[in-house]
């Protein structure tokens, strides 16, 4: 008798017969070490390398030159030797350098105060204008801000030209005959005032537009409540407007300090730092030292001192700002 064994097939798994899902764009598997891999670093590498080459390398190179005996001969032959801090000692022992430092801080203070006061007033004016007036003023500010620095400087040179300038012609027609053929750029205070007017004119548009954008964030209900309580306009600005826009105000203030402290193009194109040293500030002094005397080491040292002084001003300012924020918190 032949025994026939019945072989039974194994039971199919529960998922048998169901359509198999195609692999979709699911979450990406992490790398073996659990990190995101090298792709993010590869993507930002061009920007990082460009920043290092354009910003960090010139700064490091200037620091190295300021520690060397680096004149015209060393620029050509490349056999500069290190002298340590001798260049800084020579620079700090120069009485002309300290006079330039004093003038630089005076120039910065006058410009920043005028810029912040005028831009705040312009921003408050824009806020109170109608639609047409607001568009007209903002368009004018944008066009002024977009004007190239060299073009604006050239226009101011034409305005104050001793023989063909419009300013002299207008003042003479008004009866001020002493301004007939008046040489503005031959007098130190006059040249200083013209440069201040130029830099303020170029800087107010950005500051005013930025402050106006901050003013639009102040709730109108606060103004209405203050007016109902009989608060004056100055009290409203001091107690409501300024506390709300203070972070933006401080940011604009810091940017204007930096931009005014390192002003160079306007001064170099218009007066070259003259007459005498009446309009020479630290950036101009550094270029004059490097090019006129061919002392690139002293010029680099002056540039480094400029960076240190500007950084010190900003550090003190931000420290005071953070202290005020802690007191209000």
């Amino acid at each position: 008798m032949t025994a026939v064994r019945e072989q039974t097939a194994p039971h199919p798994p529960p998922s048998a017969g169901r359509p198999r899902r195609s692999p979709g764009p699911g979450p990406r598997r992490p790398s073996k070490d659990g990190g995101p891999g090298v792709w993010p670093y590869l993507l930002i590498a061009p920007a990082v390398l460009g920043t290092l080459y354009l910003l960090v390398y010139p700064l490091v190179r200037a620091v190295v030159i300021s520690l060397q005996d680096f004149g015209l001969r060393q620029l050509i032959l490349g056999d500069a030797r290190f002298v340590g801090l001798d260049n800084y000692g020579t620079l700090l022992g120069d009485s002309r350098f300290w006079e330039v430092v004093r003038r630089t801080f005076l120039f910065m203070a006058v410009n920043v105060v005028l810029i912040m006061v005028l831009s705040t007033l312009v921003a408050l004016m824009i806020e109170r204008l109608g639609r047409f007036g607001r568009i007209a003023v903002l368009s004018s500010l944008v066009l002024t801000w977009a004007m190239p620095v060299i073009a604006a400087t050239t226009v101011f040179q034409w305005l104050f030209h001793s023989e063909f300038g419009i300013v002299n012609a207008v003042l003479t027609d008004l009866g001020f005959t002493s301004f007939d053929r008046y040489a503005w750029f031959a007098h130190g205070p006059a040249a200083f005032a013209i440069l201040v007017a130029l830099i303020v004119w170029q800087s107010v548009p950005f500051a005013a537009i930025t402050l106006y954008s901050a003013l639009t964030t102040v709730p109108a209900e606060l103004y209405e409540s203050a007016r109902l309580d009989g608060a004056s306009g100055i009290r409203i600005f001091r107690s409501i407007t300024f506390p709300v826009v203070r972070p933006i105000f401080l940011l604009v203030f810091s940017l204007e300090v930096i931009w005014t402290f390192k002003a160079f193009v306007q001064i170099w194109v218009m007066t070259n730092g003259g007459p005498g040293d009446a309009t020479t500030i630290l950036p101009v002094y550094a270029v004059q030292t490097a090019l006129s005397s061919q002392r690139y080491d002293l010029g680099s040292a002056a540039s480094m001192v400029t960076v240190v002084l500007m950084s010190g001003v900003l550090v003190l300012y931000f420290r005071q700002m953070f202290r005020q924020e802690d007191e209000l918190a």
Side-chain angles (χ1 to χ4, degrees), residues 74-96:
Q74 288 75 19
L75 179 65
I76 297 174
L77 300 179
D79 57 345
R81 61 184 181 85
F82 281 90
V83 294
L85 299 177
D86 291 349
N87 292 323
Y88 291 94
T90 303
L91 192 68
L92 298 178
D94 186 4
S95 59
R96 178 173 177 250

Side-chain angles (χ1 to χ4, degrees), residues 10 20 60 78 112 179 190 193 295 297 317 326 328:
R20 187 174 293 180
V60 174
V112 172
F179 287 97
R295 290 296 306 271
D297 45 7
Y317 177 74
D326 293 337
L328 295 175

Side-chain angles (χ1 to χ4, degrees), residues 81-162:
R81 61 184 181 85
F82 281 90
V83 294
L85 299 177
D86 291 349
N87 292 323
Y88 291 94
T90 303
L91 192 68
L92 298 178
D94 186 4
S95 59
R96 178 173 177 250
F97 170 77
W98 291 110
E99 180 65 23
V100 170
V101 171
R102 184 195 64 81
R103 189 181 301 110
T104 302
F105 279 97
L106 175 63
F107 183 79
M108 179 192 67
V110 172
N111 277 283
V112 172
V113 170
L114 290 176
I115 290 169
M116 298 309 299
V117 171
L118 292 177
S119 59
T120 302
L121 295 176
V122 172
L124 292 172
M125 179 193 70
I126 296 173
E127 188 186 25
R128 286 159 175 76
L129 291 176
R131 179 183 178 86
F132 178 78
R134 187 182 301 117
I135 293 175
V137 174
L138 288 175
S139 301
S140 303
L141 291 175
V142 170
L143 291 175
T144 303
W145 186 24
M147 190 172 186
V149 176
I150 299 296
T153 306
T154 304
V155 169
F156 268 71
Q157 284 180 311
W158 291 343
L159 289 174
F160 292 93
H161 193 275
S162 60

Side-chain angles (χ1 to χ4, degrees), residues 55-68 70 74-75 78 80 82 300 304:
L55 298 179
V56 179
Y57 173 74
L59 180 62
V60 174
R61 181 60 176 161
V63 172
V64 173
I65 292 177
S66 69
L67 301 175
Q68 294 177 331
F70 201 98
Q74 288 75 19
L75 179 65
F82 281 90
S300 298
M304 292 302 100

Side-chain angles (χ1 to χ4, degrees), residues 48-320:
V48 173
L49 294 176
T51 302
L52 292 176
Y53 181 74
L54 296 176
L55 298 179
V56 179
Y57 173 74
L59 180 62
V60 174
R61 181 60 176 161
V63 172
V64 173
I65 292 177
S66 69
L67 301 175
Q68 294 177 331
D69 180 12
F70 201 98
L72 183 61
R73 182 177 183 276
Q74 288 75 19
L75 179 65
I76 297 174
L77 300 179
D79 57 345
R81 61 184 181 85
F82 281 90
V83 294
L85 299 177
D86 291 349
N87 292 323
Y88 291 94
T90 303
L91 192 68
L92 298 178
D94 186 4
S95 59
R96 178 173 177 250
F97 170 77
W98 291 110
E99 180 65 23
V100 170
V101 171
R102 184 195 64 81
R103 189 181 301 110
T104 302
F105 279 97
L106 175 63
F107 183 79
M108 179 192 67
V110 172
N111 277 283
V112 172
V113 170
L114 290 176
I115 290 169
M116 298 309 299
V117 171
L118 292 177
S119 59
T120 302
L121 295 176
V122 172
L124 292 172
M125 179 193 70
I126 296 173
E127 188 186 25
R128 286 159 175 76
L129 291 176
R131 179 183 178 86
F132 178 78
R134 187 182 301 117
I135 293 175
V137 174
L138 288 175
S139 301
S140 303
L141 291 175
V142 170
L143 291 175
T144 303
W145 186 24
M147 190 172 186
V149 176
I150 299 296
T153 306
T154 304
V155 169
F156 268 71
Q157 284 180 311
W158 291 343
L159 289 174
F160 292 93
H161 193 275
S162 60
E163 187 173 357
F164 306 107
I166 297 176
V167 175
N168 282 353
V170 172
L171 291 176
T172 303
D173 292 340
L174 291 176
F176 299 97
T177 56
S178 60
F179 287 97
D180 184 22
R181 298 178 183 271
Y182 183 78
W184 293 88
F185 300 107
H187 299 81
F192 189 91
I194 293 172
L195 284 169
V196 169
L198 171 60
I199 292 177
V200 169
W201 181 79
Q202 291 178 320
S203 303
V204 163
F206 167 79
I209 293 174
T210 306
L211 292 177
Y212 166 70
S213 64
L215 289 175
T216 58
T217 64
V218 181
E221 295 81 5
L222 297 179
Y223 290 139
E224 296 176 359
S225 300
R227 292 190 185 97
L228 290 176
D229 293 338
S232 62
I234 298 177
R235 181 58 185 269
I236 292 175
F237 177 81
R238 189 176 68 241
S239 302
I240 297 177
T241 305
F242 186 74
V244 175
V245 303
R246 184 170 61 178
I248 302 300
F249 187 90
L250 296 178
L251 174 62
V252 174
F253 181 88
S254 303
L255 293 176
E256 295 300 338
V257 168
I258 296 173
W259 291 339
T260 305
F261 204 97
K262 65 184 185 66
F264 169 77
V265 176
Q266 299 93 329
I267 300 175
W268 190 256
V269 172
M270 187 174 289
T271 64
N272 280 338
D277 282 339
T279 58
T280 299
I281 63 175
L282 276 172
V284 179
Y285 174 83
V287 175
Q288 287 177 343
T289 304
L291 297 183
S292 302
S293 305
Q294 295 179 349
R295 290 296 306 271
Y296 305 106
D297 45 7
L298 290 180
S300 298
S303 299
M304 292 302 100
V305 172
T306 303
V307 172
V308 171
L309 291 176
M310 185 171 60
S311 302
V313 171
L314 292 177
V315 166
L316 292 175
Y317 177 74
F318 281 119
R319 184 177 179 182
Q320 182 67 23

